[in-house]
Amino acid sequence: MQSEKIGELTPDFLQVLEETHRNPDGSFTDGKSEYIYKEVSSRIQEMESELCAGENESSASGGLTTQTKNKIYTEVKRSF
């Protein structure tokens, strides 16, 4: 798993879902996994866009933290 390779303590849940619920051809193993992946990805992208829009050009942003992304994932999974 990528998070172990780079020494992070908390895995990215969306990355885990992608690694464990995709077939070799790139399709998802089931509709629920595909829905969760797309919904979480969309929300993350939306939040990161809002972060970038609120910053001036001189500030650098690393995007959302893994914990924030995992919180979004958990919220989507619960609502499904």
Side-chain angles (χ1 to χ4, degrees):
M1 182 171 296
Q2 184 68 18
S3 62
E4 292 173 3
K5 292 177 189 172
I6 60 175
E8 291 180 11
L9 298 177
T10 305
D12 181 328
F13 295 165
L14 189 62
Q15 182 179 352
V16 172
L17 175 74
E18 186 171 22
E19 291 175 0
T20 61
H21 288 77
R22 277 198 189 255
N23 294 312
D25 67 359
S27 65
F28 282 91
T29 58
D30 58 83
K32 180 179 179 179
S33 298
E34 183 174 9
Y35 169 81
I36 291 169
Y37 182 85
K38 287 180 177 181
E39 183 66 22
V40 173
S41 295
S42 175
R43 290 186 189 191
I44 288 171
Q45 186 174 22
E46 183 179 316
M47 287 185 76
E48 287 179 339
S49 293
E50 289 172 8
L51 281 176
C52 290
E55 297 177 351
N56 61 35
E57 292 179 25
S58 64
S59 70
S61 173
L64 299 176
T65 65
T66 300
Q67 289 79 11
T68 301
K69 291 177 184 179
N70 287 349
K71 182 178 179 186
I72 295 167
Y73 177 92
T74 303
E75 289 170 358
V76 169
K77 187 131 168 63
R78 277 191 197 138
S79 68
F80 187 74

